[in-house]
Amino acid sequence: MEMETRMKKRIRVEANTEPSESPFEALSEEILFLILDLLDSNPLDKKSFSLVSRSFFAVEARHRRSLTPLRPELLPFVLSRYNSISHLNLTLCPYLSDASLSSIASLLGPSLRSINLSGSRSYSHRGIESLANKCFNLEEIDVSNGVELTDEAAAAIGRMSKVERVRMGRCKKVTDLGIGCIAVCCPNLKLLCLKGCVGVTDLGVALIAVKCRKLRSLDVSFTMITKKCLPAIAQLPNLEDLCMTGCLGINDKALVTLKQGFKSLQALDMSNCQNISQASVSSILQKNPSLHHLNLSYCSPVNSMLSGLHGVFKLNSIKLDGCHVSTDGLKSLANSCISLKELSLSKCSGVTDEGISVIVAKHKDLVKLDATCCRYITDLSLAAITSSCASLVSLSMESCTKVTWEGFRLIGRHCPKLEELNLTDTDLDDEGLTSLSQCQNLTSLKIGICLKITDEGLIQIGRSCPHLQELDLYRSIGITDKGVSEIARGCSNLETICMSYCTSISDESLKCLSNCARLNTLEIRGCSLVSSVGISAIAARCCNLSKLDIKKCYEINDAAMLSFARFSHNLRQINLSYCSVTDVGVSALASISCLQVVTMLHLSGMSADGLAAALLMCGSLMKVKLHVSFKPFISPVLINRVESRGCMFQWLNKPFQVQLESSEVWKQQSHDIFVE
C-alpha cells in the first residue's frame, strides 16, 4: 500500500513537470557555425560537438565541407548525413568500385567541388563518368596511381567542363588520345600533373599547351617528351610552375627551342635531366627574369650554370642536391643571385668552407640552408653561417662529420629565430644542446646518432622550447627516461618523436609522453625495456596516434594490442615485428577500422589461422608485410579476396635477428659504406 502511494505521487510530480529546454537550443545556427570554425582539426572534437544535442548534431552535418571517410561500404550512410560536402578525400579507401563512385555522384551531385582518388583502386572510367554526369561543378580531381586507368577515364575527366586542377600521376595506360580529350574540353584547366604517364608524348602535351591557355602549373616529370612540345609550352601566357624532372628526352637542342623564354614562369624543376649541359641551362635562365624557384638537383656539373644567373633578379630559392658544386661555382652564385633566401646543397660534392663563407657573407637574409652530407665543411663554415645569417629559420647539417662540438655551440648564440634544425649524425654534445635551448621557436629538432648527448642537454631543450612538435633521437644512446620526461612536461605540442634504439628508455618515458595529447607518431624500435604497461598508457591517452613502430620491443604483448583496439581509433600504421604478440593480439589489432599498413615479421605467437582471421576482419588494409614462410599456409583464395579489396602483400625473407647492434658499431659501418 505504501509503495502504491509513492508511485502515485511520483506520477503526479512527473505529470506537472514541464520539460525544460536546453539553453544550447537558443543559440542560432550562425553562432554554432562560428564555434565549429574555431574547433581544432581533430575530428573527435567535432564529433563531441555533434553529441551535445539533436540540433548540434544537425548543425555539424550542415557545417562540414570536407570529409575523409575510412570505409567505402559506409559511404552511402555517411554522405546521406553529410550531404553538403564539397571536398571528398578517398585516399584511405583502397578499394573503391564504380558503384561507390556512382553512389557518391548521386548523393552529393552539384555540391561536390573536389575529389581525391589517389589512394584508391578498382574503379574504372565508368565511375568517373558517373561523377562527370552528376557532379558538374567539379573543379579538382586526383586519379594519381590509377595504373589501370585508360584513355576512356581521361575522356570522362574531359567531360568535366569546369575542372581546373587534374592530377594523373603514374596513370601509365593513358596516352595522347585521352590527354587530347582533356585539352579540347577543359578550357579552364589551371593545373595538370602527368608525372610518370609514360604513354604521353609531345603530341598530347603540345595539345594541352595550345588549348588550355589558362594553365599555371604543368608537371611532365618522367614522361617521354622531347623538344617538339616545348615551343608550345613556352607560349603559355600564365604558366608559373613547370616541372620536367627525369625527362631524358630533354637535351640541349630541346632547351634551345625555349630561347624566347616564358612570360610568367616562377618555378622551374629540371632535376635528374641528365642530357642537358651548362650552356643551354644558362641561356634559359637569362631569358626568364621572373624566376623565383630553380631545381637543378642531380644534373651534370652546374658551376657554369650558376654564373649565368646575373639577370634573374627575383630568384630566391635554389636546389642543387647531388651535384658537384665547386667553390668558384658558389662564388658565382653568391654574386649572381641578389635575392637568395633558400639554398639546398644536400649531398653536394666539392662544397668547402670557403664556398659556404662566400655565400653567407653575400646573403645575410638567408632563411633556409641545407648542407646535409657536405662532409668537407668544418667549424669555419658554421662560424660564418651563424655570424652572418641571424634570420635563419631552417638549417640542416646532417652528417657534417668534420664540424665539432665547438661549432654547434654557435647556433644557439646567434640564430634565435631557428624553427627547424637537423644535426643528425654529428659531434653535438650537451653544451651544444644547452646552447640550442636559446632557440625558443624550435618546432623540429633532429639529433639522432649524436652519441655525445645525454639527459643533461635534453632537459634544457624541454625547459626552453615549448613549441617543439618533432623530435628525433634515433640511436642517441645517452638519452634515458629523465630527459624524455622533461621533454614531455615542457613540450605539450609534441606530435612526433623517434627514440628507436635508445636502449635506456623504459615505460616511464611512455607514461610521461602519454600527456602529449597531440602525439601522432611514435617510434621506439629496439627499446627492449619498454613493455605493454607503457605502450598501453600511450594508447589510452594519445587518441591521435596514427603511426607506431614497436619492432624488437620484446616485452610488448597482447595486452598492448587490446588497449589499441579499445582506444586507438586513428591508428593507421604499425610495425610489431619480433614482439610477443599472439593470435589474440593480432585479432584485436584487426578490429581497428582505419588500420592500413601492418608489418608482422617473426611473431612467434602468431599462427597461420590467426593471421588468416585477422586478414579477413581488417577491411581497411592497404599493405601487409609478412615473412615468406607464411605464404604456403595462407589460402590463395583468401589472398585474392584481400587483394581485391585494394590490399598489397609484400613477402619478405629476412632472417631472424635477436641481438641489437651497438650504435657505435652501426655508425662506423654506415660511414664505411659512404666512403666506399
Side-chain angles (χ1 to χ4, degrees):
M1 186 69 178
E2 185 178 348
M3 179 65 71
E4 184 178 350
T5 304
R6 287 180 181 176
M7 289 296 294
K8 287 180 179 179
K9 287 181 179 179
R10 181 178 177 183
I11 292 171
R12 285 198 298 270
V13 170
E14 290 180 352
N16 293 328
T17 302
E18 295 183 3
S20 59
E21 186 175 345
S22 168
F24 293 117
E25 302 296 332
L27 296 175
S28 68
E29 184 171 290
E30 182 180 2
I31 293 175
L32 294 179
F33 271 31
L34 289 173
I35 294 173
L36 284 166
D37 288 338
L38 295 173
L39 283 182
D40 194 38
S41 57
N42 184 358
L44 295 178
D45 292 343
K46 292 186 177 180
K47 182 178 181 181
S48 299
F49 177 94
S50 68
L51 296 177
V52 171
S53 67
R54 289 185 178 180
S55 62
F56 276 41
F57 186 82
V59 166
E60 193 271 332
R62 290 194 294 272
H63 175 271
R64 188 181 289 268
R65 291 294 178 267
S66 61
L67 189 68
T68 306
L70 302 174
R71 303 286 289 270
E73 62 269 23
L74 299 178
L75 276 173
F77 170 76
V78 172
L79 295 181
S80 62
R81 165 165 156 70
Y82 297 109
N83 53 16
S84 299
I85 294 297
S86 57
H87 305 284
L88 186 60
N89 183 354
L90 296 167
T91 54
L92 302 183
C93 298
Y95 175 80
L96 200 66
S97 65
D98 291 331
S100 298
L101 290 182
S102 178
S103 176
I104 290 169
S106 299
L107 289 167
L108 296 181
S111 68
L112 189 63
R113 299 296 180 96
S114 169
I115 187 167
N116 189 339
L117 303 169
S118 61
S120 306
R121 291 180 287 276
S122 302
Y123 66 92
S124 70
H125 65 278
R126 294 185 181 86
I128 299 177
E129 285 174 355
S130 299
L131 294 173
N133 290 335
K134 297 181 180 179
C135 304
F136 42 80
N137 286 324
L138 260 178
E139 298 174 354
E140 180 175 10
I141 184 167
D142 190 340
V143 293
S144 300
N145 305 309
V147 292
E148 297 300 323
L149 294 180
T150 63
D151 288 333
E152 291 178 292
I157 293 175
R159 292 170 57 190
M160 302 172 184
S161 58
K162 293 185 179 180
V163 74
E164 296 181 357
R165 297 174 294 280
V166 177
R167 293 177 175 85
M168 304 181 66
R170 292 165 294 283
C171 292
K172 299 179 180 180
K173 294 186 177 180
V174 173
T175 69
D176 294 334
L177 183 62
I179 297 302
C181 294
I182 295 175
V184 172
C185 302
C186 301
N188 297 315
L189 198 64
K190 295 179 181 178
L191 179 149
L192 178 62
C193 176
L194 299 174
K195 181 178 181 179
C197 294
V198 293
V200 177
T201 68
D202 293 314
L203 180 62
V205 175
L207 193 56
I208 285 286
V210 170
K211 294 292 185 179
C212 304
R213 306 299 290 171
K214 296 181 181 180
L215 201 65
R216 294 182 180 177
S217 177
L218 178 62
D219 188 343
V220 288
S221 301
F222 303 104
T223 60
M224 308 305 292
I225 65 167
T226 66
K227 65 178 183 179
K228 295 180 180 179
C229 67
L230 293 188
I233 293 176
Q235 295 302 313
L236 285 166
N238 301 303
L239 191 65
E240 298 175 353
D241 186 354
L242 176 60
C243 184
M244 299 189 292
T245 301
C247 290
L248 300 181
I250 299 299
N251 53 27
D252 288 341
K253 291 183 179 179
L255 293 184
V256 168
T257 63
L258 297 176
K259 60 184 179 180
Q260 298 301 321
F262 297 87
K263 294 181 179 180
S264 55
L265 194 66
Q266 296 182 15
L268 177 61
D269 187 342
M270 293 191 291
S271 56
N272 281 291
C273 288
Q274 303 293 329
N275 299 319
I276 58 176
S277 70
Q278 301 173 358
S280 59
V281 174
S282 298
S283 64
I284 295 299
L285 298 178
Q286 292 173 0
K287 296 292 184 180
N288 292 278
S290 61
L291 206 62
H292 286 71
H293 308 281
L294 176 64
N295 190 345
L296 296 174
S297 300
Y298 301 98
C299 288
S300 58
V302 296
N303 297 303
S304 297
M305 300 181 195
L306 300 178
S307 62
L309 296 175
H310 285 286
V312 192
F313 300 112
K314 296 182 180 180
L315 192 63
N316 57 45
S317 174
I318 300 179
K319 293 190 71 174
L320 302 172
D321 300 352
C323 297
H324 177 77
V325 183
S326 67
T327 299
D328 289 338
L330 288 178
K331 287 180 179 179
S332 298
L333 178 61
N335 294 323
S336 301
C337 299
I338 59 175
S339 303
L340 192 63
K341 299 283 188 181
E342 300 180 3
L343 176 62
S344 182
L345 301 170
S346 177
K347 301 177 183 177
C348 287
S349 59
V351 177
T352 63
D353 290 332
E354 185 181 359
I356 292 290
S357 299
V358 170
I359 282 285
V360 297
K362 288 278 187 177
H363 300 282
K364 296 181 183 297
D365 293 331
L366 208 65
V367 296
K368 185 173 183 179
L369 177 62
D370 188 345
T372 298
C373 292
C374 292
R375 295 179 183 264
Y376 300 111
I377 62 176
T378 68
D379 292 347
L380 294 176
S381 287
L382 204 46
I385 292 169
T386 54
S387 62
S388 300
C389 304
S391 299
L392 208 60
V393 172
S394 176
L395 175 64
S396 177
M397 300 197 71
E398 178 180 349
S399 297
C400 292
T401 50
K402 289 194 175 183
V403 180
T404 70
W405 52 271
E406 294 177 320
F408 292 120
R409 294 177 187 179
L410 300 172
I411 298 175
R413 297 174 193 166
H414 302 289
C415 301
K417 296 182 180 180
L418 266 180
E419 297 177 7
E420 300 175 356
L421 181 61
N422 185 353
L423 299 180
T424 302
D425 187 20
T426 60
D427 200 40
L428 182 70
D429 64 0
D430 285 334
E431 287 194 38
L433 265 185
T434 301
S435 175
L436 291 178
S437 66
Q438 298 176 64
C439 304
Q440 297 184 1
N441 294 321
L442 274 179
T443 59
S444 175
L445 179 61
K446 297 182 179 181
I447 46 176
I449 328 177
C450 292
L451 305 186
K452 291 184 177 181
I453 63 173
T454 68
D455 294 331
E456 182 182 345
L458 194 62
I459 286 172
Q460 300 305 317
I461 296 294
R463 291 175 178 173
S464 305
C465 303
H467 305 295
L468 198 65
Q469 298 176 13
E470 179 183 14
L471 178 62
D472 187 352
L473 300 169
Y474 178 79
R475 286 188 183 268
S476 293
I477 55 175
I479 302 301
T480 71
D481 294 331
K482 186 178 179 181
V484 175
S485 299
E486 195 63 43
I487 288 291
R489 275 191 289 270
C491 308
S492 58
N493 293 322
L494 198 67
E495 297 179 2
T496 299
I497 185 168
C498 174
M499 302 181 291
S500 295
Y501 300 106
C502 294
T503 51
S504 298
I505 296 299
S506 72
D507 289 335
E508 282 304 309
S509 289
L510 299 192
K511 289 177 182 177
C512 294
L513 286 171
S514 68
N515 294 314
C516 299
R518 298 190 179 191
L519 193 68
N520 59 55
T521 301
L522 176 64
E523 299 181 31
I524 51 172
R525 175 183 300 202
C527 296
S528 55
L529 298 181
V530 170
S531 72
S532 292
V533 175
I535 206 69
S536 294
I538 292 288
R541 304 189 66 181
C542 299
C543 299
N544 292 321
L545 192 69
S546 61
K547 182 180 178 181
L548 179 66
D549 188 346
I550 51 175
K551 179 180 178 180
K552 294 188 178 180
C553 295
Y554 307 112
E555 299 301 316
I556 292 180
N557 55 31
D558 292 338
M561 300 303 107
L562 292 169
S563 295
F564 285 125
R566 181 179 179 185
F567 299 110
S568 298
H569 303 299
N570 291 313
L571 190 63
R572 295 177 184 174
Q573 182 174 335
I574 186 170
N575 185 343
L576 60 151
S577 302
Y578 292 89
C579 291
S580 301
V581 176
T582 69
D583 291 344
V584 174
V586 173
S587 177
L589 203 61
S591 67
I592 300 176
S593 61
C594 62
L595 193 62
Q596 293 181 307
V597 181
V598 180
T599 302
M600 298 183 290
L601 299 176
H602 303 298
L603 292 183
S604 58
M606 183 177 69
S607 67
D609 290 340
L611 173 61
L615 291 173
L616 281 174
M617 188 187 308
C618 195
S620 58
L621 282 177
M622 297 180 70
K623 181 187 288 187
V624 183
K625 296 181 181 180
L626 298 166
H627 197 271
V628 70
S629 60
F630 271 104
K631 194 171 184 178
F633 302 101
I634 304 297
S635 165
V637 175
L638 173 60
I639 292 176
N640 290 336
R641 179 175 176 180
V642 176
E643 287 179 336
S644 69
R645 297 191 310 218
C647 180
M648 181 181 70
F649 285 91
Q650 188 172 351
W651 302 98
L652 304 176
N653 193 22
K654 292 186 176 181
F656 185 81
Q657 181 184 8
V658 176
Q659 188 174 1
L660 294 177
E661 220 168 39
S662 71
S663 293
E664 293 90 342
V665 173
W666 182 89
K667 182 173 182 176
Q668 185 59 51
Q669 290 176 345
S670 300
H671 288 180
D672 291 344
I673 291 171
F674 178 83
V675 170
E676 290 174 7

